[in-house]
Amino acid sequence: MTGPASLEILRTRSGACRAVRDFFFSRDFIEVDTPVRIPSPAPEEHIEAEPAGDWFLRTSPELQMKRLLAAGAERVFQLGPCFRRDESGPMHNPEFTMLEWYRANADYLDILADTKSLVAAVATAITGRTTVSRHGRVIELMPCWEIITVRDAFLEWAGWDPLRDQDPDRFDMDLVCKVEPRIAERDHPVILKDYPVHGAALARCRQDDPPCAERWELYIAGIELANAFSELTDASEQRRRFETATAARTARGMAEYPPDADFLEDLDRGRMPRAGGIALGMDRLVMLLAAAPDVASVRGFV
Amino acid sequence: MYNASDLRKGLKVEIDGVPYAITEFTFVKPGKGQALYTCRLKNMINGSTFMKTYRAADRIDQPVLEEKTLQYSYNDGHGYVFLDQDFEQVTITSDVMGDSRHFLVEDATVRVLFHNGNPIEITMPTFIEKEVVHTEPGARGDTATNVMKPARVAGGYELPVPLFVNQGDIIRIDTRTGGYVDRVKR
């Protein structure tokens, strides 16, 4: 592991943050600051929050940003710190910088259009080009993004259908060992889309046969950069999904989080509009643009 | 047994009775998925490598490894005979000795790694001294330092040496590279 970042990389990082803000301001988004210390993180099967007194440090600002949509905001973005316990590796730091944005009256494909424009705009602002180089390869960020469904990717490279056979454990292993290495060979960004419902506790479910979660992940040079949803707005479905995730956490001996009553009340009262949202790892984006080896080397302190 | 969270570069593990060394190690975590630990594993017996990914819940066997210091005695025709500190004989085949066999000299002290009592890896002293038993005389006056000529040392190993080295000289050899280091005496 390397780092901390050189002054030159900190300048790149600052420029990237500025380009992100310019991008969203020009599209009539408002920048928001939601609390970093919260009582009720969303229960996710494989994400553990860092305790902070009786509360927790946020693992994502998702629930609070959705509450702003419920309060009438139509376009919100936030760039700020998030914390995930025991996540440390070349692509992980226990404290990291997340970019999230949400659009009311939109879905995950509207968010995809935003993402394409954003990545190109930030790359142009930083490097003057719409390409990034990684390990001697040039990745063209414009105009072609390849969209592959999770089902097709797994049928092609892992030999099974993860929508029909719900097997979260095998899914993770084959994603890492069989699917992601193939995605990493592409010299353009790849969108992996329409995931099994497990593991996407806040995504809207599409009632196809079999059903899938309206969720996509962006990969550039094999690095997973962002996760987007059509947001789940159905209160009883959301409660069920939280309960399933909580049961899985309890079975694994993970901490129990009190439910976020305010968020659920917004859903109960029908205040939350149809929406699309996304979380993008800002450190990873800067790492790609700066051709840095890992996320630690684009952070000022390690 | 090791837990997946114990895994790190350099750790030695056992899979199906074979000892492996972890030569690369990465923490990975797909979006919304479980933490996984991806390792490159090097077979400590035949040197082959492969990638393996462990889940957090996986348990990994710990190999029984022991390192001993042995003193070389002689070659009995079937293998290389060493003595341990209790003067017990240990025979190591040329397969296991690999290239190290070229650098054995009488009474040389080597470190040997045993897995379940079987020798699997030999670590030679970094530098050993050998007598040059055959080399052509160097051309008089040719003092260029990068010009080398072939030489054979006691035991039959051949290596390039500088032109000024003569038959009967003692030279020092680096056992990690098999290359000439310097001349010890004429």
Side-chain angles (χ1 to χ4, degrees):
Chain A
M1 187 107 3
T2 56
S6 64
L7 210 52
E8 187 192 347
I9 286 183
L10 290 183
R11 266 192 207 102
T12 299
R13 186 182 177 100
S14 167
C17 292
R18 179 185 182 144
V20 163
R21 290 195 165 93
D22 288 347
F23 177 89
F24 285 112
F25 291 147
S26 74
R27 280 163 177 75
D28 215 14
F29 276 72
I30 56 173
E31 181 169 14
V32 297
D33 290 293
T34 62
V36 172
R37 190 170 161 270
I38 56 174
S40 303
E44 301 230 29
E45 283 188 39
H46 299 291
I47 297 176
E48 192 71 323
E50 199 63 65
D54 295 341
W55 288 14
F56 300 91
L57 299 180
R58 66 183 182 187
T59 59
S60 150
E62 180 161 3
L63 301 188
Q64 288 69 35
M65 291 186 76
K66 287 181 175 175
R67 294 198 57 220
L68 293 172
L69 295 184
E74 289 186 1
R75 288 175 291 277
V76 288
F77 81 98
Q78 179 163 202
L79 192 54
C82 290
F83 303 82
R84 294 184 181 179
R85 202 169 187 182
D86 296 331
E87 297 194 6
S88 197
M91 297 299 137
H92 294 84
N93 206 60
E95 174 175 351
F96 61 104
T97 303
M98 189 90 101
L99 169 63
E100 296 212 3
W101 74 93
Y102 292 81
R103 269 183 184 273
N105 310 311
D107 68 8
Y108 71 152
L109 296 181
D110 298 309
I111 297 294
L112 178 55
D114 286 339
T115 309
K116 277 181 157 177
S117 306
L118 172 78
V119 168
V122 177
T124 307
I126 296 306
T127 65
R129 294 186 300 270
T130 55
T131 55
V132 293
S133 298
R134 189 103 194 132
H135 305 315
R137 288 168 51 217
V138 176
I139 313 291
E140 180 56 63
L141 301 175
M142 292 276 281
C144 164
W145 286 25
E146 185 177 2
I147 299 179
I148 314 175
T149 65
V150 168
R151 187 181 208 180
D152 286 347
F154 272 70
L155 285 172
E156 173 86 13
W157 294 317
W160 62 290
D161 181 350
L163 298 190
R164 206 162 283 286
D165 304 326
Q166 299 271 322
D167 188 340
D169 186 58
R170 188 181 176 203
F171 182 84
D172 289 345
M173 283 296 262
D174 282 359
L175 180 63
V176 166
C177 300
K178 297 178 178 171
V179 174
E180 288 185 347
R182 305 305 289 268
I183 289 175
E185 294 168 1
R186 302 294 208 254
D187 51 13
H188 45 250
V190 175
I191 296 291
L192 204 54
K193 111 184 218 294
D194 296 341
Y195 277 69
V197 178
H198 61 74
L202 289 146
R204 184 168 75 197
C205 196
R206 192 166 67 226
Q207 291 308 324
D208 290 353
D209 179 31
C212 69
E214 286 196 340
R215 167 187 170 201
W216 56 254
E217 294 250 7
L218 165 62
Y219 289 86
I220 296 179
I223 290 157
E224 180 210 329
L225 207 61
N227 176 80
F229 290 160
S230 294
E231 302 300 342
L232 178 57
T233 53
D234 181 300
S236 54
E237 171 74 8
Q238 183 66 81
R239 278 203 169 79
R240 268 198 305 279
R241 303 271 279 280
F242 277 170
E243 281 160 14
T244 305
T246 299
R249 290 175 57 86
T250 307
R252 221 176 281 119
M254 295 167 77
E256 189 168 335
Y257 304 139
D260 189 326
D262 296 327
F263 170 69
L264 289 168
E265 190 186 336
D266 278 343
L267 295 189
D268 281 335
R269 293 181 184 267
R271 293 185 192 124
M272 167 85 182
R274 191 175 76 89
I278 182 169
L280 183 150
M282 195 63 196
D283 303 291
R284 293 187 190 174
L285 179 60
V286 174
M287 178 191 78
L288 277 171
L289 294 173
D294 50 38
V295 289
S297 52
V298 298
R299 298 185 59 84
F301 296 83
V302 178
Chain B
M1 296 285 261
Y2 289 118
N3 294 319
S5 57
D6 296 327
L7 298 176
R8 62 186 184 279
K9 192 172 166 178
L11 190 75
K12 296 179 172 76
V13 299
E14 184 171 297
I15 303 166
D16 298 332
V18 177
Y20 289 86
I22 298 175
T23 56
E24 291 170 28
F25 172 78
T26 315
F27 171 89
V28 291
K29 196 165 189 280
K32 306 289 177 197
Q34 61 184 306
L36 296 170
Y37 305 86
T38 296
C39 304
R40 180 176 292 281
L41 294 158
K42 182 177 181 191
N43 184 318
M44 294 174 68
I45 291 170
N46 66 20
S48 66
T49 67
F50 75 110
M51 301 296 293
K52 187 168 169 69
T53 298
Y54 291 98
R55 303 165 177 83
D58 286 340
R59 299 287 174 272
I60 303 101
D61 285 335
Q62 194 171 348
V64 178
L65 295 169
E66 186 188 9
E67 195 177 65
K68 285 187 191 170
T69 300
L70 302 182
Q71 197 168 40
Y72 179 56
S73 192
Y74 63 98
N75 183 339
D76 71 356
H78 303 288
Y80 298 82
V81 179
F82 292 81
L83 295 178
D84 70 13
Q85 276 147 338
D86 302 323
F87 303 103
E88 293 291 324
Q89 287 196 353
V90 179
T91 302
I92 299 180
T93 62
S94 36
D95 272 7
V96 175
M97 286 301 299
D99 288 341
S100 298
R101 69 184 188 278
H102 300 305
F103 309 124
L104 281 173
V105 291
E106 205 174 322
D107 296 336
T109 300
V110 302
R111 293 204 313 279
V112 180
L113 188 64
F114 291 81
H115 174 242
N116 294 334
N118 300 314
I120 59 168
E121 193 180 286
I122 317 296
T123 309
M124 298 293 291
T126 310
F127 301 106
I128 54 103
E129 293 173 6
K130 283 270 193 184
E131 182 186 348
V132 175
V133 295
H134 178 77
T135 189
E136 299 294 335
R140 181 179 295 269
D142 189 345
T143 55
T145 51
N146 58 348
V147 178
M148 306 289 266
K149 62 176 182 176
R152 189 164 69 244
V153 295
Y157 179 66
E158 294 192 5
L159 76 168
V161 299
L163 294 180
F164 59 76
V165 172
N166 298 312
Q167 208 157 298
D169 287 352
I170 307 289
I171 60 169
R172 204 189 320 265
I173 299 172
D174 185 330
T175 62
R176 297 164 301 184
T177 61
Y180 169 91
V181 180
D182 58 7
R183 180 168 60 174
V184 182
K185 65 175 200 245
R186 284 166 207 263

